[in-house]
Short mmCIF file of all heavy atoms in Angstrom, two decimals:
data_model
loop_
_atom_site.label_atom_id
_atom_site.label_comp_id
_atom_site.label_asym_id
_atom_site.label_seq_id
_atom_site.Cartn_x
_atom_site.Cartn_y
_atom_site.Cartn_z
N GLY A 1331 11.21 -16.59 -2.88
CA GLY A 1331 9.90 -16.91 -3.45
C GLY A 1331 9.07 -15.67 -3.73
O GLY A 1331 9.53 -14.53 -3.56
N SER A 1332 7.84 -15.91 -4.17
CA SER A 1332 6.95 -14.83 -4.55
C SER A 1332 5.57 -15.01 -3.91
O SER A 1332 5.14 -16.13 -3.62
CB SER A 1332 6.77 -14.79 -6.08
OG SER A 1332 7.98 -14.55 -6.74
N LEU A 1333 4.91 -13.88 -3.70
CA LEU A 1333 3.52 -13.85 -3.25
C LEU A 1333 2.84 -12.68 -3.92
O LEU A 1333 3.51 -11.68 -4.25
CB LEU A 1333 3.43 -13.68 -1.73
CG LEU A 1333 3.66 -14.88 -0.82
CD1 LEU A 1333 3.64 -14.41 0.64
CD2 LEU A 1333 2.64 -15.96 -1.05
N ARG A 1334 1.52 -12.78 -4.07
CA ARG A 1334 0.76 -11.64 -4.56
C ARG A 1334 -0.37 -11.35 -3.57
O ARG A 1334 -1.18 -12.22 -3.26
CB ARG A 1334 0.17 -11.89 -5.95
CG ARG A 1334 -0.44 -10.62 -6.53
CD ARG A 1334 -0.91 -10.80 -7.95
NE ARG A 1334 -2.26 -11.34 -8.03
CZ ARG A 1334 -3.13 -11.06 -9.00
NH1 ARG A 1334 -2.78 -10.23 -9.98
NH2 ARG A 1334 -4.32 -11.61 -9.01
N LEU A 1335 -0.37 -10.11 -3.10
CA LEU A 1335 -1.43 -9.66 -2.20
C LEU A 1335 -2.49 -8.92 -3.02
O LEU A 1335 -2.18 -8.23 -3.99
CB LEU A 1335 -0.88 -8.72 -1.14
CG LEU A 1335 0.28 -9.24 -0.29
CD1 LEU A 1335 0.67 -8.19 0.76
CD2 LEU A 1335 -0.06 -10.55 0.37
N SER A 1336 -3.74 -9.08 -2.58
CA SER A 1336 -4.85 -8.37 -3.21
C SER A 1336 -5.64 -7.61 -2.15
O SER A 1336 -5.73 -8.07 -1.00
CB SER A 1336 -5.79 -9.35 -3.92
OG SER A 1336 -5.14 -10.09 -4.91
N CYS A 1337 -6.20 -6.49 -2.54
CA CYS A 1337 -7.04 -5.71 -1.63
C CYS A 1337 -8.21 -5.16 -2.42
O CYS A 1337 -8.03 -4.36 -3.34
CB CYS A 1337 -6.24 -4.57 -1.02
SG CYS A 1337 -7.24 -3.42 -0.04
N ALA A 1338 -9.41 -5.62 -2.06
CA ALA A 1338 -10.61 -5.17 -2.74
C ALA A 1338 -11.32 -4.12 -1.90
O ALA A 1338 -11.57 -4.34 -0.70
CB ALA A 1338 -11.54 -6.35 -2.99
N ALA A 1339 -11.63 -2.99 -2.52
CA ALA A 1339 -12.30 -1.89 -1.83
C ALA A 1339 -13.78 -1.87 -2.18
O ALA A 1339 -14.16 -2.15 -3.33
CB ALA A 1339 -11.66 -0.57 -2.21
N SER A 1340 -14.60 -1.53 -1.21
CA SER A 1340 -16.04 -1.40 -1.45
C SER A 1340 -16.58 -0.29 -0.56
O SER A 1340 -15.90 0.18 0.35
CB SER A 1340 -16.76 -2.72 -1.17
OG SER A 1340 -16.61 -3.10 0.17
N GLY A 1341 -17.80 0.12 -0.85
CA GLY A 1341 -18.41 1.19 -0.07
C GLY A 1341 -18.33 2.51 -0.80
O GLY A 1341 -18.50 2.56 -2.02
N SER A 1342 -18.03 3.57 -0.08
CA SER A 1342 -17.99 4.93 -0.65
C SER A 1342 -16.64 5.18 -1.31
O SER A 1342 -15.83 5.98 -0.85
CB SER A 1342 -18.26 5.96 0.44
OG SER A 1342 -19.51 5.75 1.04
N ILE A 1343 -16.40 4.48 -2.39
CA ILE A 1343 -15.09 4.55 -3.04
C ILE A 1343 -15.11 5.57 -4.17
O ILE A 1343 -14.94 5.24 -5.34
CB ILE A 1343 -14.64 3.17 -3.53
CG1 ILE A 1343 -15.77 2.44 -4.26
CG2 ILE A 1343 -14.14 2.34 -2.37
CD1 ILE A 1343 -15.36 1.13 -4.86
N PHE A 1344 -15.27 6.82 -3.79
CA PHE A 1344 -15.11 7.92 -4.73
C PHE A 1344 -14.19 8.94 -4.06
O PHE A 1344 -13.92 8.87 -2.87
CB PHE A 1344 -16.47 8.53 -5.07
CG PHE A 1344 -17.27 8.93 -3.87
CD1 PHE A 1344 -17.12 10.18 -3.30
CD2 PHE A 1344 -18.17 8.04 -3.29
CE1 PHE A 1344 -17.85 10.55 -2.18
CE2 PHE A 1344 -18.91 8.40 -2.17
CZ PHE A 1344 -18.74 9.66 -1.61
N SER A 1345 -13.67 9.86 -4.85
CA SER A 1345 -12.73 10.87 -4.36
C SER A 1345 -11.53 10.21 -3.68
O SER A 1345 -11.01 10.71 -2.69
CB SER A 1345 -13.43 11.83 -3.37
OG SER A 1345 -14.49 12.50 -4.00
N ILE A 1346 -11.10 9.09 -4.24
CA ILE A 1346 -9.93 8.39 -3.69
C ILE A 1346 -8.67 9.09 -4.19
O ILE A 1346 -8.54 9.39 -5.37
CB ILE A 1346 -9.92 6.93 -4.13
CG1 ILE A 1346 -11.11 6.19 -3.53
CG2 ILE A 1346 -8.62 6.26 -3.69
CD1 ILE A 1346 -11.26 4.79 -4.06
N ASN A 1347 -7.75 9.33 -3.28
CA ASN A 1347 -6.48 9.94 -3.65
C ASN A 1347 -5.44 8.88 -4.03
O ASN A 1347 -4.69 9.05 -4.98
CB ASN A 1347 -5.95 10.78 -2.49
CG ASN A 1347 -6.91 11.88 -2.11
OD1 ASN A 1347 -7.54 11.81 -1.05
ND2 ASN A 1347 -7.07 12.86 -2.97
N ALA A 1348 -5.41 7.80 -3.24
CA ALA A 1348 -4.40 6.78 -3.49
C ALA A 1348 -4.77 5.50 -2.75
O ALA A 1348 -5.56 5.52 -1.81
CB ALA A 1348 -3.02 7.27 -3.01
N MET A 1349 -4.18 4.41 -3.22
CA MET A 1349 -4.26 3.14 -2.50
C MET A 1349 -2.85 2.59 -2.39
O MET A 1349 -1.99 2.87 -3.25
CB MET A 1349 -5.16 2.15 -3.23
CG MET A 1349 -6.63 2.53 -3.24
SD MET A 1349 -7.68 1.27 -3.98
CE MET A 1349 -7.62 -0.02 -2.73
N GLY A 1350 -2.62 1.80 -1.38
CA GLY A 1350 -1.29 1.29 -1.22
C GLY A 1350 -1.18 0.21 -0.16
O GLY A 1350 -2.19 -0.25 0.38
N TRP A 1351 0.06 -0.17 0.10
CA TRP A 1351 0.37 -1.20 1.07
C TRP A 1351 1.39 -0.68 2.07
O TRP A 1351 2.36 -0.01 1.68
CB TRP A 1351 0.93 -2.44 0.36
CG TRP A 1351 -0.08 -3.12 -0.49
CD1 TRP A 1351 -0.31 -2.92 -1.82
CD2 TRP A 1351 -1.01 -4.13 -0.06
NE1 TRP A 1351 -1.34 -3.74 -2.25
CE2 TRP A 1351 -1.77 -4.50 -1.18
CE3 TRP A 1351 -1.25 -4.78 1.15
CZ2 TRP A 1351 -2.77 -5.46 -1.12
CZ3 TRP A 1351 -2.25 -5.73 1.20
CH2 TRP A 1351 -3.00 -6.08 0.08
N TYR A 1352 1.15 -0.99 3.32
CA TYR A 1352 2.07 -0.71 4.40
C TYR A 1352 2.36 -2.04 5.10
O TYR A 1352 1.63 -3.01 4.92
CB TYR A 1352 1.45 0.27 5.40
CG TYR A 1352 1.30 1.67 4.87
CD1 TYR A 1352 0.44 1.97 3.81
CD2 TYR A 1352 2.01 2.73 5.43
CE1 TYR A 1352 0.31 3.26 3.32
CE2 TYR A 1352 1.89 4.03 4.96
CZ TYR A 1352 1.03 4.28 3.90
OH TYR A 1352 0.90 5.55 3.42
N ARG A 1353 3.40 -2.06 5.91
CA ARG A 1353 3.70 -3.27 6.66
C ARG A 1353 4.23 -2.92 8.04
O ARG A 1353 4.78 -1.85 8.25
CB ARG A 1353 4.70 -4.16 5.92
CG ARG A 1353 6.09 -3.59 5.79
CD ARG A 1353 6.95 -4.48 4.91
NE ARG A 1353 8.31 -3.96 4.77
CZ ARG A 1353 9.23 -4.46 3.95
NH1 ARG A 1353 8.93 -5.52 3.18
NH2 ARG A 1353 10.43 -3.94 3.90
N GLN A 1354 4.03 -3.86 8.94
CA GLN A 1354 4.51 -3.68 10.30
C GLN A 1354 5.10 -4.99 10.79
O GLN A 1354 4.39 -6.00 10.90
CB GLN A 1354 3.39 -3.22 11.22
CG GLN A 1354 3.86 -2.84 12.61
CD GLN A 1354 2.80 -2.08 13.39
OE1 GLN A 1354 1.62 -2.10 13.06
NE2 GLN A 1354 3.22 -1.39 14.43
N ALA A 1355 6.38 -4.95 11.07
CA ALA A 1355 7.08 -6.11 11.63
C ALA A 1355 7.02 -6.03 13.15
O ALA A 1355 6.84 -4.94 13.72
CB ALA A 1355 8.51 -6.14 11.14
N PRO A 1356 7.18 -7.15 13.84
CA PRO A 1356 7.14 -7.15 15.30
C PRO A 1356 8.14 -6.16 15.89
O PRO A 1356 9.32 -6.16 15.50
CB PRO A 1356 7.49 -8.59 15.67
CG PRO A 1356 7.08 -9.39 14.49
CD PRO A 1356 7.35 -8.52 13.30
N GLY A 1357 7.68 -5.32 16.78
CA GLY A 1357 8.55 -4.37 17.45
C GLY A 1357 8.93 -3.16 16.63
O GLY A 1357 9.75 -2.34 17.07
N LYS A 1358 8.35 -3.03 15.45
CA LYS A 1358 8.69 -1.91 14.57
C LYS A 1358 7.44 -1.11 14.23
O LYS A 1358 6.32 -1.57 14.37
CB LYS A 1358 9.35 -2.41 13.29
CG LYS A 1358 10.70 -3.07 13.50
CD LYS A 1358 11.38 -3.35 12.18
CE LYS A 1358 12.76 -3.92 12.38
NZ LYS A 1358 13.45 -4.18 11.10
N GLN A 1359 7.68 0.12 13.76
CA GLN A 1359 6.57 0.96 13.35
C GLN A 1359 6.07 0.54 11.96
O GLN A 1359 6.81 -0.04 11.16
CB GLN A 1359 7.02 2.43 13.31
CG GLN A 1359 7.24 3.04 14.68
CD GLN A 1359 7.45 4.54 14.62
OE1 GLN A 1359 7.93 5.07 13.63
NE2 GLN A 1359 7.07 5.23 15.69
N ARG A 1360 4.83 0.88 11.71
CA ARG A 1360 4.26 0.62 10.40
C ARG A 1360 4.97 1.50 9.38
O ARG A 1360 5.21 2.68 9.62
CB ARG A 1360 2.75 0.91 10.39
CG ARG A 1360 2.04 0.43 9.16
CD ARG A 1360 0.53 0.59 9.29
NE ARG A 1360 -0.01 -0.24 10.38
CZ ARG A 1360 -1.31 -0.39 10.60
NH1 ARG A 1360 -2.19 0.22 9.82
NH2 ARG A 1360 -1.72 -1.14 11.62
N GLU A 1361 5.30 0.92 8.23
CA GLU A 1361 6.02 1.66 7.20
C GLU A 1361 5.36 1.47 5.84
O GLU A 1361 4.73 0.44 5.58
CB GLU A 1361 7.48 1.20 7.12
CG GLU A 1361 7.65 -0.26 6.74
CD GLU A 1361 9.11 -0.67 6.61
OE1 GLU A 1361 10.00 0.15 6.90
OE2 GLU A 1361 9.35 -1.83 6.22
N VAL A 1362 5.53 2.45 4.99
CA VAL A 1362 4.98 2.35 3.65
C VAL A 1362 5.79 1.36 2.84
O VAL A 1362 7.01 1.27 2.96
CB VAL A 1362 4.95 3.73 2.96
CG1 VAL A 1362 6.35 4.28 2.80
CG2 VAL A 1362 4.21 3.67 1.65
N VAL A 1363 5.10 0.57 2.03
CA VAL A 1363 5.74 -0.36 1.12
C VAL A 1363 5.63 0.16 -0.31
O VAL A 1363 6.62 0.31 -1.01
CB VAL A 1363 5.11 -1.76 1.22
CG1 VAL A 1363 5.74 -2.70 0.19
CG2 VAL A 1363 5.26 -2.31 2.62
N ALA A 1364 4.42 0.42 -0.73
CA ALA A 1364 4.18 0.91 -2.09
C ALA A 1364 2.81 1.58 -2.15
O ALA A 1364 1.88 1.15 -1.47
CB ALA A 1364 4.23 -0.23 -3.11
N VAL A 1365 2.74 2.63 -2.97
CA VAL A 1365 1.51 3.40 -3.10
C VAL A 1365 1.28 3.70 -4.58
O VAL A 1365 2.23 3.96 -5.32
CB VAL A 1365 1.58 4.72 -2.32
CG1 VAL A 1365 0.33 5.56 -2.55
CG2 VAL A 1365 1.76 4.44 -0.83
N VAL A 1366 0.03 3.64 -5.00
CA VAL A 1366 -0.32 4.06 -6.36
C VAL A 1366 -1.41 5.13 -6.25
O VAL A 1366 -2.44 4.92 -5.61
CB VAL A 1366 -0.78 2.87 -7.23
CG1 VAL A 1366 -1.95 2.11 -6.61
CG2 VAL A 1366 -1.13 3.33 -8.64
N ALA A 1367 -1.13 6.27 -6.85
CA ALA A 1367 -2.09 7.37 -6.82
C ALA A 1367 -3.18 7.15 -7.87
O ALA A 1367 -3.01 6.33 -8.79
CB ALA A 1367 -1.36 8.69 -7.09
N THR A 1368 -4.24 7.90 -7.73
CA THR A 1368 -5.36 7.77 -8.67
C THR A 1368 -4.91 8.01 -10.10
O THR A 1368 -5.39 7.35 -11.03
CB THR A 1368 -6.49 8.73 -8.29
OG1 THR A 1368 -6.92 8.44 -6.95
CG2 THR A 1368 -7.65 8.59 -9.23
N GLY A 1369 -3.98 8.91 -10.28
CA GLY A 1369 -3.48 9.20 -11.62
C GLY A 1369 -2.54 8.14 -12.17
O GLY A 1369 -2.19 8.19 -13.35
N GLY A 1370 -2.14 7.20 -11.32
CA GLY A 1370 -1.30 6.10 -11.79
C GLY A 1370 0.16 6.16 -11.35
O GLY A 1370 0.89 5.19 -11.52
N SER A 1371 0.57 7.27 -10.78
CA SER A 1371 1.96 7.35 -10.33
C SER A 1371 2.17 6.44 -9.13
O SER A 1371 1.24 6.22 -8.34
CB SER A 1371 2.32 8.78 -9.97
OG SER A 1371 1.51 9.25 -8.92
N THR A 1372 3.36 5.91 -9.02
CA THR A 1372 3.66 4.95 -7.95
C THR A 1372 4.85 5.42 -7.12
O THR A 1372 5.70 6.19 -7.58
CB THR A 1372 3.97 3.57 -8.52
OG1 THR A 1372 5.06 3.67 -9.46
CG2 THR A 1372 2.77 2.97 -9.24
N HIS A 1373 4.89 4.92 -5.90
CA HIS A 1373 6.00 5.19 -4.99
C HIS A 1373 6.32 3.90 -4.27
O HIS A 1373 5.42 3.18 -3.83
CB HIS A 1373 5.60 6.27 -3.98
CG HIS A 1373 6.56 6.36 -2.82
ND1 HIS A 1373 7.79 6.97 -2.93
CD2 HIS A 1373 6.48 5.88 -1.56
CE1 HIS A 1373 8.42 6.87 -1.77
NE2 HIS A 1373 7.64 6.23 -0.92
N TYR A 1374 7.61 3.61 -4.16
CA TYR A 1374 8.05 2.40 -3.48
C TYR A 1374 9.06 2.75 -2.38
O TYR A 1374 9.88 3.66 -2.54
CB TYR A 1374 8.73 1.44 -4.46
CG TYR A 1374 7.81 0.86 -5.50
CD1 TYR A 1374 7.66 1.47 -6.75
CD2 TYR A 1374 7.10 -0.31 -5.25
CE1 TYR A 1374 6.82 0.94 -7.71
CE2 TYR A 1374 6.25 -0.86 -6.20
CZ TYR A 1374 6.12 -0.22 -7.43
OH TYR A 1374 5.28 -0.76 -8.39
N ALA A 1375 9.03 1.98 -1.33
CA ALA A 1375 10.08 2.06 -0.33
C ALA A 1375 11.37 1.57 -0.97
O ALA A 1375 11.36 0.67 -1.81
CB ALA A 1375 9.73 1.21 0.88
N GLY A 1376 12.47 2.16 -0.56
CA GLY A 1376 13.74 1.79 -1.15
C GLY A 1376 14.07 0.32 -0.99
O GLY A 1376 14.70 -0.29 -1.87
N SER A 1377 13.63 -0.26 0.12
CA SER A 1377 13.96 -1.65 0.41
C SER A 1377 13.25 -2.66 -0.50
O SER A 1377 13.63 -3.82 -0.55
CB SER A 1377 13.62 -1.97 1.87
OG SER A 1377 12.24 -1.74 2.12
N VAL A 1378 12.21 -2.21 -1.21
CA VAL A 1378 11.45 -3.15 -2.06
C VAL A 1378 11.55 -2.81 -3.54
O VAL A 1378 11.05 -3.56 -4.38
CB VAL A 1378 9.97 -3.22 -1.64
CG1 VAL A 1378 9.85 -3.52 -0.15
CG2 VAL A 1378 9.21 -1.97 -2.01
#
């Protein structure tokens, strides 16, 4: 199946370098899922 996550930022949202998503499964460390830089470049974990 599919899901779409949203994240709305507010406050002092200037000089942002990047926004992204991380995840943490039970008993595991937090890991990066996907990141988008201010310039638009993206990075994904290999698993996704």
Side-chain angles (χ1 to χ4, degrees):
S1332 298
L1333 281 175
R1334 189 174 86 148
L1335 305 182
S1336 300
C1337 173
S1340 62
S1342 301
I1343 46 175
F1344 53 87
S1345 299
I1346 295 173
N1347 300 109
M1349 292 185 71
W1351 293 92
Y1352 290 65
R1353 67 186 180 187
Q1354 188 166 18
K1358 295 188 176 181
Q1359 288 190 331
R1360 191 173 297 188
E1361 61 178 4
V1362 62
V1363 176
V1365 176
V1366 56
T1368 301
S1371 61
T1372 57
H1373 166 77
Y1374 293 93
S1377 59
V1378 307

